[in-house]
Amino acid sequence: MKLELRGITKKFGTFTANDDITVVVESGQVHSLLGENGAGKSTLMNVLFGLYEATAGQVLIDDSPVQFHGPGDAMAAGIGMVHQHFMLVPVFTVAENVALGDEVTRAAGILDLEATRRKIREISDRFGFHVDPDALVEDLPVGVQQRVEIIKALVREAKVLILDEPTAVLTPQETDELLNIIRQLRDAGTSVVFISHKLREVKEISDVITVIRRGKVVGHAEPTASAAELASLMVGRSVSLSLEKEPATPGEETFSIQNLTVLADNGQVLLDDVSFGIHNGEILAVAGVQGNGQTELTEAIMGLLDHASGKVVLHGENLLGRSVKSIINSGVGFVPEDRSTDGLVGTFTVAENLVLNQYDRAPFARGMNMRGSVIAENAEQKIGEFDIRTQGPQADAGTLSGGNQQKVVMARELSRPLKLFIASQPTRGVDVGSIEFLHRRIIAERDGGTPVLIVSTELDEVVELADRIAVLYKGQLVGIVPGDTPRDTLGLMMAGASADEAGAIDIDPVPPTDTSTGTPVANPEEEHGNE
Amino acid sequence: MSDPANLPDRDPASTQTPPPPPAGSTPGGAAAGNTPAQLAEASPQDPQASLMRRITTGNGLVSVLAIVLSLLVGAILIAATDERVTSAASYFFSRPTDMLSAIWASVSEAYGALFRSAFFNTQADGFANAIYPLTETLTVATPLILAGLGVALAFRVGLFNIGGQGQIILGAMLAGWVGFTLNLPAGLHLLLAVVAGIIGGAIWGGIAGVLKAKRGAHEVIVTIMLNYIAVYLLLYVLTTPGFQRPGSNNPISPEIHESAAYPLIFGSGFRLHLGFIVALLAVAFVWWLLNRSTTGFELRAVGANPQAARTAGINVSRAYITAMVIAGALAGLAGTAQISGTERSLSGDIAASFGFDAITVALLGRSNPIGTMFAGLLFGALRAGGVGMQSNTGIPIDIVLVVQSFIVLFIAAPPLVRSIFRIHTGQKKSRKSTARTAKAGGAA
């Protein structure tokens, strides 16, 4: 089936989200739409799905114009979509979810789940999905949930499958699996529209690449194009993809955690006896598949968790057990993993968010009175310095794009003298242009002599920033390896192999001279990696 | 104690309101856009809480339209129950103008009377008599504004404070006790009574705050139960020697001493007392607290996103307690206005239904202190005017209750109001669908 979007224009008031976009998806082809966040990719797909009415332009299937009035029409015409946020009912089984909206019924309207189960098994076997139709969706890992979404589309006999930022929620391994699945689908004759801003994946999977910038098609590229070419096409200026950074000049070790253990409310061990130290002017990046204790690590340091034991030492003082406020005030900058729930108050203005944890300190407050003019000046200055794209300091932070929201959080945390900087997923959901900027700021903080702890599930980011890499697996420290350790090795360690097994050198996380923080990880015979 | 949910059996809505808009059924939710703004909004916050937020802090236009619609519904009720209209309706097809003029006459008479009894009596002789209704409105508005501020403040911190009634009662109880038991010089006595009222309300609100903060008890349940406790505690203490009027068998306290009463602003001919000025000062205080103080910044942050507030080092538990203590204190001031202002003695009916009306007032005022003040004034006017309307035209004051209740209904269903007035902007539509995307995203 050939799908064509011809001259699609979509305006919201005076804002043009899509400007005369033409995309032709041939049968059995993987067609990537590459563009930054907010470039108009998703608007285009919503037009295709009849969720928005196009201001101008046409959708054609096999060269005949069609008109969709909603997702139902599009699905009936053979177009399936997997959204970035899955549309699944967590307490339903896979089969129930797949049946939902397209239920097969027997006489008297009795649900025939067996038919759905059969179809799921069939598809699952054909493409090697390994999905159990009777598993509860909430029990499944994210990667498998995504496959359920794909099955949903395939059961409805989709000839064109649209994947909207499908890898944003996946681990590197899951990403590879997904790309394999896409290849199989393509070989079976399904067309795939792959929407992404991640160059590596787009290059790997695409037959055709269409680059969209500010609502316009700015060019087509071959998958053989270099990442730098694609990036500059996407951003509209040349972007340096590999960061030039000076080698670290580590100073004294002023921050360390010792035997940090974190329990969940139900007693489950989330972080198991983790110890390491970070030197002044050094970046330690924590790698690991999401959900292996990284979130707990940062939150425990910030005093956000109740059941934490061990020690978190900064300049000789134990932070564990102190209030979040006193930890912040002792000079710890923290960029939380999820900016919209933890980092920002969406209904507060940019100016207010820029002082979210400084509002009661000089110069922003005098006694109980907040000083609006000082806060506004601060906002103006930060907006300029961090190039935050906003309508102004009084705009609600929630109206900013993801990258700009992240800049707000970064600007707030990096704008005071720090003794420790922690950033969790510092560039998640951020476009290429902003990533470069944010990385530079992090390195600048390091070069200023601050110990920096980065947590990221993006290996690219870990490799790019880290002076040393610590790998977490199931809440345990698998090992600490040099920053230039190959990705494959890291991948193995992220799956639980010890540094030895993975063929890397487990460097002593703490210099031997420092006796205060002797850790079991330094010992190659330690049992952590063997779990 | 009147119950705002207790609407009359008549169903005026059926004559007036179109079917609700297909919110939730449009497919927009499934794949609504990913423009940056929307992405940002689709934060995985509790959808229930965000709906609550939108209702309590939504835009002022919906408030105004809700009032207009509710008055319209009231007009239909007035017309439908008017005898002249009913008899003219029987020959509607031969002389339709008769019915129309009958409708006009009944509605304009009723609302005319309402207006004259609420603001300015054009038919009175003498200026003092003419503005008497206005002073009545301000008098009735005083406890409404104060208790409304308490509810509004709690709303802003994400707490649904249903306990205004109990907090008013406790405030009135303590202030009353100080007023009729102690013998103190004039200024000091009043001051002490006011402080006692504040403390009484603050304790009652604070209990709910502490239970919420320390034990996670839902403030709605706790405040409702505290209302019952307050009501029956009051009835009980009114039978004990410390509170019951000597020589009386009725559950009523002695009158408070003159030294503990709010001075009357316009002399003995009017009921308007200094408590109204206290209410205005409270409006200014709450405005400052919310918009200009560090405490208010904390409270608002906790209300808007408790998780981000906590991450920023704000003590969320303490914010809940602070908010409920201040909310209770404001309601306690409303109790003081009752006991030291209008009632002068404690009875089972001291709080009337002000604690519940306060919820409506805060909703209508969009949890904004200035808005709450105007909403309180409006409700004061409706209440004061309703009395005059009943005595002049025979239309029961219950109509006013119906109008008030409809205001809440329309505010709680902004999409309904929007669809009636066809306020549709692409912005709003996509925003709505994004809320649903967030819901779906959160579920996935």
Side-chain angles (χ1 to χ4, degrees):
Chain A
M1 192 173 91
K2 178 181 166 191
L3 172 69
E4 183 175 355
L5 296 164
R6 190 180 287 169
I8 300 286
T9 298
K10 175 67 194 170
K11 290 185 179 168
F12 295 101
T14 56
F15 175 69
T16 307
N18 288 162
D19 189 358
D20 193 24
I21 291 186
T22 298
V23 175
V24 184
V25 184
E26 301 283 353
S27 171
Q29 204 182 44
V30 178
H31 192 127
S32 287
L33 293 183
L34 181 66
E36 293 191 285
N37 292 317
K41 297 166 293 183
S42 299
T43 306
L44 185 65
M45 289 305 117
N46 287 331
V47 169
L48 169 60
F49 261 64
L51 295 171
Y52 294 152
E53 200 180 326
T55 314
Q58 269 186 322
V59 178
L60 299 96
I61 288 180
D62 291 329
D63 295 322
S64 50
V66 288
Q67 193 111 50
F68 298 146
H69 297 288
D73 291 355
M75 279 181 224
I79 301 174
M81 178 143 180
V82 176
H83 296 276
Q84 197 174 355
H85 299 287
F86 304 147
M87 306 288 162
L88 298 170
V89 184
V91 295
F92 276 17
T93 65
V94 170
E96 284 166 339
N97 266 292
V98 170
L100 191 65
D102 188 28
E103 298 87 352
V104 184
T105 51
R106 286 193 289 250
I110 295 167
L111 199 58
D112 185 6
L113 270 183
E114 194 45 51
T116 312
R117 282 199 195 93
R118 213 164 36 237
K119 278 194 204 162
I120 294 173
R121 283 196 203 96
E122 203 179 288
I123 292 170
S124 178
D125 289 347
R126 182 144 56 104
F127 296 108
F129 279 1
H130 306 295
V131 173
D132 172 12
D134 294 312
L136 284 182
V137 161
E138 60 185 354
D139 297 339
L140 298 175
V142 177
V144 180
Q145 289 189 14
Q146 190 172 53
R147 275 177 246 163
V148 174
E149 284 278 14
I150 295 174
I151 290 174
K152 252 167 76 179
L154 294 181
V155 163
R156 289 162 175 75
E157 290 171 352
K159 301 283 189 306
V160 177
L161 186 63
I162 298 166
L163 302 167
D164 188 4
E165 297 277 4
T167 60
V169 289
L170 300 184
T171 65
Q173 280 81 4
E174 284 174 328
T175 301
D176 288 343
E177 286 171 28
L178 175 70
L179 295 186
N180 274 329
I181 288 170
I182 293 175
R183 278 188 205 102
Q184 288 184 49
L185 288 171
R186 176 192 60 195
D187 296 343
T190 310
S191 320
V192 177
V193 178
F194 188 84
I195 302 174
S196 182
H197 66 268
K198 295 191 182 174
L199 304 170
R200 182 191 300 274
E201 292 150 15
V202 166
K203 270 170 59 65
E204 195 172 328
I205 195 69
S206 313
D207 297 308
V208 180
I209 301 171
T210 299
V211 185
I212 297 179
R213 184 172 75 231
R214 296 192 182 175
K216 283 186 188 150
V217 173
V218 291
H220 300 274
E222 295 295 315
T224 50
S226 75
E229 285 173 59
L230 288 176
S232 57
L233 205 52
M234 181 162 89
V235 182
R237 61 185 165 82
S238 65
V239 182
S240 82
L241 286 175
S242 59
L243 209 56
E244 294 144 25
K245 60 167 186 180
E246 301 287 315
T249 49
E252 194 190 342
E253 182 186 278
T254 53
F255 172 73
S256 68
I257 62 173
Q258 297 161 19
N259 311 103
L260 187 63
T261 297
V262 174
L263 303 179
D265 284 338
N266 63 11
Q268 194 197 340
V269 180
L270 299 173
L271 204 60
D272 190 359
D273 197 22
V274 171
S275 305
F276 60 76
I278 308 178
H279 299 254
N280 282 347
E282 179 195 42
I283 297 177
L284 178 81
V286 177
V289 175
Q290 187 157 23
N292 277 280
Q294 304 97 317
T295 311
E296 288 75 16
L297 174 67
T298 56
E299 291 187 352
I301 295 171
M302 292 310 298
L304 288 161
L305 297 180
D306 288 335
H307 312 287
S309 61
K311 269 187 173 179
V312 175
V313 181
L314 182 63
H315 283 277
E317 278 182 62
N318 188 8
L319 297 183
L320 208 63
R322 288 167 62 175
S323 72
V324 183
K325 186 162 216 121
S326 98
I327 291 170
I328 290 171
N329 289 350
S330 68
V332 182
F334 177 49
V335 176
E337 174 179 312
D338 188 331
R339 58 179 162 264
S340 54
T341 55
D342 297 327
L344 292 169
V345 178
T347 52
F348 272 25
T349 64
V350 170
E352 285 176 316
N353 272 294
L354 282 167
V355 297
L356 197 61
N357 55 19
Q358 302 293 314
Y359 62 92
D360 56 350
R361 310 185 78 191
F364 304 121
R366 192 186 283 144
M368 268 188 77
N369 268 305
M370 296 187 65
R371 299 170 69 191
S373 57
V374 180
I375 292 169
E377 268 168 43
N378 171 65
E380 293 285 359
Q381 191 250 328
K382 293 295 174 303
I383 287 171
E385 184 185 345
F386 281 79
D387 187 27
I388 301 166
R389 306 279 169 86
T390 167
Q391 289 171 337
Q394 297 309 320
D396 280 358
T399 62
L400 269 57
S401 72
N404 284 304
Q405 290 187 354
Q406 192 72 1
K407 285 181 188 169
V408 171
V409 179
M410 285 280 215
R412 177 179 73 218
E413 301 301 326
L414 288 175
S415 302
R416 57 203 158 97
L418 292 181
K419 294 198 175 112
L420 170 68
F421 179 61
I422 303 173
S424 198
Q425 314 295 353
T427 57
R428 174 181 282 176
V430 171
D431 50 81
V432 182
S434 306
I435 288 176
E436 185 196 350
F437 177 81
L438 294 172
H439 281 176
R440 281 189 196 291
R441 295 298 307 213
I442 292 171
I443 300 213
E445 189 65 33
R446 176 201 76 170
D447 292 343
T450 309
V452 177
L453 176 66
I454 299 291
V455 169
S456 180
T457 50
E458 303 250 359
L459 260 187
D460 286 338
E461 183 161 78
V462 168
V463 170
E464 185 139 323
L465 290 174
D467 298 315
R468 284 188 299 150
I469 300 171
V471 183
L472 278 181
Y473 176 69
K474 291 195 175 168
Q476 296 183 334
L477 191 60
V478 176
I480 297 187
V481 294
D484 55 2
T485 306
R487 300 170 60 92
D488 298 352
T489 314
L490 290 171
L492 285 172
M493 289 178 73
M494 284 161 74
S498 71
D500 256 0
E501 288 161 357
I505 320 136
D506 192 345
I507 49 174
D508 192 348
V510 199
T513 50
D514 191 335
T515 52
S516 66
T517 53
T519 102
V521 192
N523 184 347
E525 286 151 33
E526 46 96 8
E527 288 158 23
H528 293 114
N530 303 331
E531 279 283 310
Chain B
M1 221 165 72
S2 84
D3 183 353
N6 218 347
L7 286 176
D9 295 331
R10 296 162 287 187
D11 180 14
S14 62
T15 61
Q16 150 85 11
T17 46
S25 67
T26 51
N34 252 353
T35 62
Q38 291 167 334
L39 253 187
E41 239 185 278
S43 63
Q45 287 172 19
D46 182 10
Q48 206 66 43
S50 81
L51 176 70
M52 187 66 215
R53 273 190 63 71
R54 276 184 297 146
I55 290 173
T56 53
T57 59
N59 76 34
L61 181 64
V62 172
S63 287
V64 173
L65 294 179
I67 295 168
V68 172
L69 276 179
S70 307
L71 288 174
L72 220 64
V73 173
I76 290 169
L77 277 181
I78 291 167
T81 53
D82 188 282
E83 272 176 31
R84 287 164 299 175
V85 176
T86 336
S87 60
S90 60
Y91 56 89
F92 176 75
F93 289 104
S94 47
R95 278 166 62 192
T97 47
D98 266 21
M99 182 173 158
L100 294 178
S101 61
I103 290 175
W104 172 250
S106 67
V107 172
S108 61
E109 256 174 45
Y111 281 159
L114 186 82
F115 180 84
R116 280 194 303 279
S117 329
F119 298 106
F120 191 82
N121 189 353
T122 48
Q123 295 161 357
D125 36 318
F127 182 71
N129 281 339
I131 63 149
Y132 179 78
L134 182 64
T135 65
E136 272 303 288
T137 291
L138 300 184
T139 309
V140 182
T142 302
L144 283 173
I145 293 172
L146 285 165
L149 284 174
V151 177
L153 183 81
F155 271 152
R156 292 290 286 271
V157 193
L159 298 172
F160 209 147
N161 174 17
I162 310 288
Q165 193 76 4
Q167 294 150 15
I168 293 174
I169 289 174
L170 258 285
M173 246 167 80
L174 260 63
W177 186 84
V178 168
F180 56 70
T181 309
L182 303 183
N183 281 304
L184 292 164
L188 184 65
H189 200 182
L190 175 62
L191 187 68
L192 204 64
V194 170
V195 170
I198 289 176
I199 291 173
I203 289 174
W204 223 237
I207 292 173
V210 170
L211 288 176
K212 165 92 180 176
K214 301 293 178 198
R215 288 287 171 267
H218 201 289
E219 74 281 2
V220 169
I221 312 284
V222 174
T223 50
I224 288 176
M225 292 305 140
L226 285 173
N227 283 346
Y228 281 113
I229 296 172
V231 167
Y232 292 105
L233 183 67
L234 174 63
L235 289 179
Y236 168 72
V237 298
L238 284 175
T239 64
T240 61
F243 277 87
Q244 195 168 27
R245 185 175 293 187
S248 169
N249 283 327
N250 295 326
I252 188 164
S253 79
E255 285 227 351
I256 55 160
H257 302 307
E258 195 53 41
S259 52
Y262 277 124
L264 296 172
I265 296 175
F266 295 126
S268 57
F270 300 89
R271 294 204 302 162
L272 187 62
H273 54 83
L274 205 63
F276 179 68
I277 305 299
V278 172
L280 294 184
L281 291 175
V283 170
F285 167 74
V286 173
W287 183 87
W288 169 82
L289 183 76
L290 281 175
N291 298 304
R292 288 285 181 272
S293 77
T294 52
T295 305
F297 188 87
E298 289 174 13
L299 297 182
R300 285 186 296 123
V302 168
N305 185 346
Q307 241 178 296
R310 184 162 170 265
T311 309
I314 294 168
N315 188 330
V316 176
S317 301
R318 201 177 60 198
Y320 285 147
I321 297 172
T322 309
M324 284 307 294
V325 165
I326 300 176
L330 288 162
L333 270 179
T336 318
Q338 282 294 92
I339 187 81
S340 294
T342 47
E343 300 296 317
R344 303 286 174 107
S345 62
L346 205 56
S347 72
D349 204 27
I350 187 75
S353 65
F354 288 123
F356 297 106
D357 295 342
I359 299 168
T360 324
V361 166
L363 272 175
L364 185 60
R366 296 299 170 184
S367 311
N368 161 333
I370 312 288
T372 302
M373 180 183 74
F374 282 114
L377 289 173
L378 175 76
F379 273 41
L382 283 175
R383 180 64 64 88
V387 176
M389 181 178 74
Q390 178 163 2
S391 60
N392 287 339
T393 62
I395 293 165
I397 191 170
D398 301 327
I399 282 282
V400 167
L401 261 182
V402 174
V403 169
Q404 288 180 3
S405 306
F406 264 100
I407 292 176
V408 182
L409 190 76
F410 286 125
I411 286 177
L416 185 68
V417 175
R418 282 206 202 97
S419 74
I420 291 172
F421 286 93
R422 313 229 169 268
I423 314 173
H424 265 311
T425 65
Q427 206 64 31
K428 272 183 186 134
K429 204 172 176 189
S430 65
R431 209 172 259 182
K432 244 173 14 197
S433 50
T434 322
R436 269 174 280 126
T437 315
K439 201 181 285 182

